[in-house]
């Protein structure tokens, strides 16, 4: 075999489809199935013969963990969300990977020519140095690395597969957990409620197979003493315990709803089968993950003839792809049933959620008509109720053609966010008087233009701006100050596009307030959805986003339209608009709130320094920000 440096080969959904039907994917899945079979019923403490080649790989993993001490996290890395010293650790791995693998292969008597093919897999198994993140794609790459080692006969002992699953993979997972903790790595994407964990899938997949036939039923994992007793011996239990300790401040069912559902399933057989299906679709079958996979001679891209000299097109930015396939809670419920062939668990454990933010629990979603007569629209795209039509539209990420059209037709004469969903909408129409409350991406972005007067607007500077200014003063070199045409953080005060008979209408001040006591009452949710208009990376200095959540109950409509921003080292900002209509009332209320603060101020209010992960979700900190403005407006019907 002629070995070659592996390269990416999945650049489109057509490529992904070809990969999904390829012998290469079958080879990877077969390898994972073999690992699941080998670990069946065996605790990690089980005796197993570790061959010399397996010991060589374990030595490499030990060496890589010891290297963490050579690159301690920087005290001031410029960003709180991913310590830049991780780049030094990963650069060091890049510099020595060829040598480490060549030494492994030579000592094991394996063709050293495979070194150039294996090294990129090892390097890509521990995270991304640009985004300072780690996720299921890197984990899958390590499985591909192990598969390549087996294909070049590195693992030749009859019991090597058992040592891989009982010794090597747990050692890898321990190293990864140390990297995440030391360098505060971001999860590679916001997975939402569907995910088992922010970072990992493998210990659940192998761990469920490990527990098949064991005397510990899934439901016993709700008992903390069971977790403590068995966490060192079982991958699933150990990882679950780690997650529950990280999320100890929220009920299990609320912090990890998918895991909560899984441990209520009747058997490990059901769980193992469902997770195997889920892994193939959510990891190997999702473009945002699979587009980073590498293919060479051992794992060939049979759908593409790629040589080392070919120019490979660059994939779309990670943030855009992570949200490429949008989800809704209803889709998550459908997926759970599809993977596990079971209904989801009761939500009695869940504490009463904040009705203004939290997605509804499954128990509160009525799958059948309750109370007021209503009609669900095709494909669950909306609902008709009491003279209202509430509907959403969800389209794929806008391509270059659509972005150009938006800039031209909607007068967006500035750079747009990295991720724009130009076709996404939320429309609330009062059919009696042809009143529309419409949320459109282009209209939200128009409010970012400095030609538009926005109350409380403040143009922020990047966290390193003061260093540039100081250097300019020291060197007596003036800085060229450019006049911006838009708010580069994409802060928008968009309340929706309001029309009556197609003509714009105004809101007026009111003393009425949203009846939160009514919203806190348990009531069937007839329709729910979440729609994102845009996400921005802010030139890698943070993130900003605009989205809407809508709930339609028997008594009312409730919408939360939220813009939030995190500019690392500078500011946290949450601008919310809550829209409420009580059926039968002659008005729609708009409650506008604008809050902001810093990470330091939030930590001070909480009396402790929260980890970076805490500030990835605005729901965690919004109540601890300072209120800059709050008012209620009314739309008369």
């Amino acid at each position: 075999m002629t070995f070659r440096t592996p390269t990416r080969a999945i650049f489109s959904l057509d490529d992904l489809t070809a990969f999904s039907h390829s012998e290469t994917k079958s080879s990877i899945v077969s390898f994972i199935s073999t690992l699941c079979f080998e670990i069946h019923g065996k605790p990690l403490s089980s005796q197993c013969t570790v061959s010399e080649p397996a010991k060589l790989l374990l030595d490499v993993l030990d060496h890589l963990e010891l290297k963490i001490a050579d690159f301690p996290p920087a005290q001031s890395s410029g960003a709180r969300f991913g310590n830049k010293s991780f780049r030094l650790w990963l650069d060091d791995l890049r510099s020595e990977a060829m040598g480490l693998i060549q030494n492994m292969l030579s000592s094991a008597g394996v063709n050293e020519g495979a070194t150039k093919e294996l090294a990129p897999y090892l390097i890509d198994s521990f995270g991304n140095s640009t985004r300072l993140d780690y996720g299921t794609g890197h984990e899958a790459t390590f499985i591909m690395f192990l598969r390549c080692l087996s294909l070049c006969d590195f693992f030749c002992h009859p019991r090597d597969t058992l040592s891989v699953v009982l010794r090597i993979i747990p050692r890898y997972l321990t190293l990864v957990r140390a990297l995440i903790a030391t360098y505060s790595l971001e999860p590679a994407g916001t997975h939402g409620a569907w995910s088992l964990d922010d970072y990992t899938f493998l210990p659940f997949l192998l761990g469920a197979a490990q527990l098949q036939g064991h005397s510990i039923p899934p439901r016993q994992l709700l008992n903390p003493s069971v977790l403590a007793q068995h966490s060192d011996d079982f991958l699933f239990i150990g990882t679950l315990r780690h997650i529950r300790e990280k999320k100890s401040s929220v009920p299990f069912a609320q912090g990890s709803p998918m895991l909560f559902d899984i441990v209520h399933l009747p058997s490990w057989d059901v769980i193992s089968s469902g997770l195997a299906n889920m892994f193939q679709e959510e990891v190997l079958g999702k473009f945002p993950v699979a587009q980073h996979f590498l293919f060479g001679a051992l794992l060939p891209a049979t759908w593409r003839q790629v040589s080392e000299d070919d120019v490979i097109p660059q994939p779309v930015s990670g943030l855009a792809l992570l949200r490429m396939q949008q989800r809704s809670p209803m889709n998550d419920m459908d997926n759970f049933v599809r993977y596990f062939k079971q209904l989801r668990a009761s939500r009695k454990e869940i504490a009463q959620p904040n009705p203004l933010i939290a997605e509804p629990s499954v128990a509160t979603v009525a799958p059948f008509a309750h109370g007021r007569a209503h009609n669900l629209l095709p494909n669950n795209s909306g609902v008709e109720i009491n003279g209202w039509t509430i509907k959403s539209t969800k389209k794929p990420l806008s391509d270059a053609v659509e972005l150009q059209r938006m800039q031209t037709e909607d007068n967006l004469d500035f750079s747009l966010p990295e991720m724009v969903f130009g076709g996404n909408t939320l429309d609330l129409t009062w059919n009696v008087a042809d009143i529309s409350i419409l949320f459109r991406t282009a209209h939200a972005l128009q409010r970012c233009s400095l030609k538009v007067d926005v109350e409380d607007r403040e143009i922020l500077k990047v966290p390193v701006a003061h260093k540039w200014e100081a250097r300019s003063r020291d060197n007596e070199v003036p800085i060229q100050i450019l006049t911006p045409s838009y708010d580069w953080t994409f802060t928008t005060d968009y309340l929706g596009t309001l029309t009556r008979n197609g003509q714009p209408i105004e809101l007026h001040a009111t003393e009425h307030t949203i009846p939160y006591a009514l919203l806190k009452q348990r009531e069937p949710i007839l329709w729910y959805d979440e729609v994102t208009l845009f996400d921005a990376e802010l030139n890698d200095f943070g993130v900003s986003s605009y989205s809407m959540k809508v709930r339609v109950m028997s008594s009312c409509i409730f919408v939360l339209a939220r813009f939030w921003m995190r500019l690392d080292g500078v500011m946290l900002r949450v601008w919310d608009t809550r829209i409420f209509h009580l059926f039968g009332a002659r008005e729609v209320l708009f409650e506008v709130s604008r809050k902001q603060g810093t990470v330091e101020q939030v930590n001070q209010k909480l009396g402790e320094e929260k980890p970076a992960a805490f500030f990835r979700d605005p729901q965690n900190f919004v109540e601890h920000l300072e209120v800059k403005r709050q008012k209620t407006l009314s739309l008369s019907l």
Side-chain angles (χ1 to χ4, degrees):
M1 175 179 290
T2 302
F3 298 106
R4 63 180 180 83
T5 303
T7 56
R8 291 180 176 138
I10 297 177
F11 302 107
S12 67
L13 294 180
D14 288 340
D15 288 339
L16 180 62
T17 300
F19 166 66
S20 298
H21 294 91
S22 69
E23 292 185 7
T24 295
K25 183 190 174 185
S26 297
S27 175
I28 297 168
V29 172
S30 176
F31 180 67
I32 295 171
S33 298
T34 301
L35 297 178
C36 289
F37 177 79
E38 286 290 342
I39 201 174
H40 183 103
K42 299 180 181 69
L44 296 180
S45 58
S46 299
Q47 293 292 324
C48 74
T49 301
V50 181
S51 67
E52 288 304 315
K55 289 179 182 177
L56 291 169
L57 180 51
L58 287 170
D59 289 343
V60 168
L61 296 176
D62 289 341
H63 169 76
L64 294 179
E65 182 157 7
L66 290 174
K67 279 286 188 175
I68 295 176
D70 294 342
F71 306 100
Q75 295 300 311
S76 178
S77 64
R80 299 181 60 90
F81 303 91
N83 195 285
K84 293 183 179 179
S85 291
F86 176 63
R87 293 187 178 123
L88 302 178
W89 183 91
L90 206 51
D91 286 344
D92 186 73
L93 171 58
R94 288 193 187 95
S95 68
E96 64 176 2
M98 294 284 284
L100 290 172
I101 292 178
Q102 186 173 11
N103 179 64
M104 273 177 38
L105 299 181
S106 175
S107 300
V110 176
N111 186 346
E112 296 177 33
T115 299
K116 67 177 181 179
E117 180 147 348
L118 293 169
Y121 286 106
L122 180 66
I123 294 168
D124 277 8
S125 295
F126 298 100
N128 184 280
S129 60
T130 301
R131 299 187 300 271
L132 301 176
D133 65 9
Y134 173 88
T136 54
H138 304 108
E139 188 178 68
T141 299
F142 186 72
I143 291 294
M144 296 170 75
F145 171 66
L146 295 176
R147 180 54 174 157
C148 287
L149 284 173
S150 69
L151 289 171
C152 63
D153 296 326
F154 179 81
F155 296 122
C156 55
H157 190 279
R159 302 301 291 164
D160 268 347
T161 305
L162 184 60
S163 63
V164 165
V165 75
L166 288 182
R167 299 290 184 266
I168 293 173
I169 289 177
R171 185 68 191 86
Y172 163 76
L173 294 172
T174 299
L175 169 55
V176 165
R177 189 174 293 178
L179 290 170
I180 292 170
T182 302
Y183 299 117
S184 301
L185 300 184
E186 288 266 24
T190 303
H191 302 289
W194 74 272
S195 66
L196 304 176
D197 177 55
D198 288 335
Y199 299 96
T200 189
F201 196 112
L202 194 59
F204 296 109
L205 177 62
L206 296 176
Q210 186 185 22
L211 286 162
Q212 282 183 278
H214 200 276
S215 59
I216 304 173
R219 193 178 290 265
Q220 281 197 13
L221 270 58
L222 296 169
N223 186 338
S225 64
V226 173
L227 297 183
Q229 181 181 353
H230 297 286
S231 60
D232 291 337
D233 251 348
F234 296 95
L235 289 170
F236 194 109
I237 296 175
T239 307
L240 179 60
R241 182 187 184 190
H242 177 68
I243 291 171
R244 296 208 62 178
E245 289 174 349
K246 286 196 306 180
K247 300 181 179 181
S248 58
S249 61
V250 296
F252 180 30
Q254 185 175 346
S256 303
M258 180 65 83
L259 282 173
F260 178 81
D261 292 326
I262 286 174
V263 299
H264 281 82
L265 291 171
S267 71
W268 289 110
D269 291 343
V270 172
I271 294 173
S272 183
S273 175
L275 288 175
N277 294 331
M278 191 175 179
F279 182 81
Q280 288 203 49
E281 290 200 30
E282 301 293 350
V283 179
L284 300 182
K286 283 292 186 287
F287 185 69
V289 179
Q291 58 120 5
H292 295 292
F293 291 162
L294 301 175
F295 302 91
L298 293 165
L299 294 174
T302 53
W303 58 96
R304 280 180 178 266
Q305 298 301 316
V306 183
S307 72
E308 293 183 34
D309 298 326
D310 284 340
V311 177
I312 302 298
Q314 293 299 309
V316 184
S317 72
L319 177 62
L321 292 173
L322 288 170
R323 295 291 296 275
M324 199 173 206
Q325 291 162 310
Q326 290 183 293
R327 300 175 179 274
S328 73
M330 288 301 295
N331 287 337
D332 288 339
M333 285 184 276
D334 293 343
N335 282 342
F336 185 87
V337 173
R338 179 158 56 92
Y339 294 137
F340 298 100
K341 315 303 180 186
Q342 302 280 333
L343 296 177
R344 300 183 77 171
S346 167
R347 284 303 192 270
K348 293 180 181 179
E349 180 188 326
I350 297 182
Q352 182 68 25
N354 182 341
L356 309 184
I357 301 288
E359 294 179 5
S361 63
V362 174
T364 65
V365 180
F368 45 84
H370 260 291
R372 193 178 301 273
H374 65 284
N375 178 44
L376 290 175
L377 300 181
N379 300 318
N380 199 41
S381 61
V383 63
E384 295 174 339
I385 182 171
N386 205 56
W388 285 85
T389 300
I390 305 101
K391 61 183 179 181
S392 63
T393 302
K394 292 185 180 181
K395 299 290 186 180
L397 187 71
S398 296
D399 58 19
V401 174
E402 184 174 10
L403 293 177
Q404 181 63 48
R405 181 194 59 76
M406 289 175 62
Q407 289 182 307
T408 302
E409 296 181 5
D410 296 301
N411 298 317
L412 300 175
D413 55 348
F414 49 81
S415 298
L416 299 181
E418 290 85 351
M419 191 172 139
V420 174
F421 293 96
N424 285 6
T425 64
L426 176 64
D427 187 3
L428 293 77
T429 299
W430 171 237
N431 300 300
V432 175
D434 195 19
I435 292 176
S436 172
I437 305 169
L438 172 66
F439 287 87
R440 277 193 59 209
T441 305
H443 293 177
L445 289 170
Q446 284 172 350
R447 305 293 299 176
C448 302
S449 171
L450 296 189
K451 298 175 183 177
V452 178
D453 184 22
V454 173
E455 210 169 27
D456 302 318
R457 172 173 278 156
E458 178 184 0
I459 302 300
L460 303 175
K461 296 180 179 180
V462 298
V464 294
H466 68 282
K467 296 181 181 179
W468 299 338
E469 293 168 347
R471 189 180 302 121
S472 172
R473 290 193 299 269
D474 294 342
N475 298 331
E476 297 183 350
V477 177
I479 293 179
Q480 181 183 5
I481 305 219
L482 302 177
T483 302
S485 63
Y486 70 105
D487 186 335
W488 71 280
T489 67
F490 300 102
T491 300
T492 175
D493 63 349
Y494 186 53
L495 308 180
T497 303
L498 314 178
T499 61
R500 186 194 306 266
N501 297 319
Q503 298 301 313
I505 51 177
E506 299 290 333
L507 301 175
H508 58 270
T510 181
E511 296 182 357
H512 296 169
T513 59
I514 294 176
Y516 291 126
L518 173 65
L519 288 171
K520 290 179 181 179
Q521 295 178 9
R522 295 187 67 84
E523 182 179 9
I525 295 178
L526 308 179
W527 185 71
Y528 173 93
D529 206 357
E530 179 176 1
V531 182
T532 297
L533 299 187
F534 66 80
D535 281 320
E537 292 178 306
L538 305 186
N539 299 316
D540 290 330
F541 287 109
V543 63
S544 68
S545 176
Y546 192 100
S547 63
M548 300 82 65
K549 294 182 179 180
V550 55
R551 296 192 306 177
V552 179
M553 285 78 74
S554 296
S555 64
C556 61
I557 304 168
F558 183 78
V559 177
L560 169 64
R562 164 167 287 177
F563 169 84
W564 80 279
M565 179 209 69
R566 186 193 74 224
L567 184 55
D568 295 335
V570 179
M571 183 178 290
L572 301 167
R573 175 180 286 165
V574 180
W575 285 14
D576 285 342
T577 301
R578 293 177 171 86
I579 302 174
F580 174 83
H581 172 66
L582 181 67
F583 292 131
R586 301 301 299 170
E587 67 177 350
V588 179
L589 297 179
F590 289 69
E591 182 185 271
V592 178
S593 70
R594 297 180 183 173
K595 300 180 179 182
Q596 67 185 44
T598 65
V599 168
E600 290 73 18
Q601 289 169 344
V602 171
N603 286 333
Q604 186 176 10
K605 287 185 178 181
L606 293 171
E608 60 177 318
E609 184 171 350
K610 288 294 186 179
F614 181 83
F615 296 96
R616 296 179 188 130
D617 183 352
Q619 176 61 12
N620 290 334
F621 57 79
V622 62
E623 296 305 319
H624 305 290
L625 300 178
E626 180 183 357
V627 178
K628 293 296 185 179
R629 183 178 301 277
Q630 185 156 328
K631 60 184 178 181
T632 304
L633 304 171
S634 175
L635 169 63
S636 298
L637 297 181

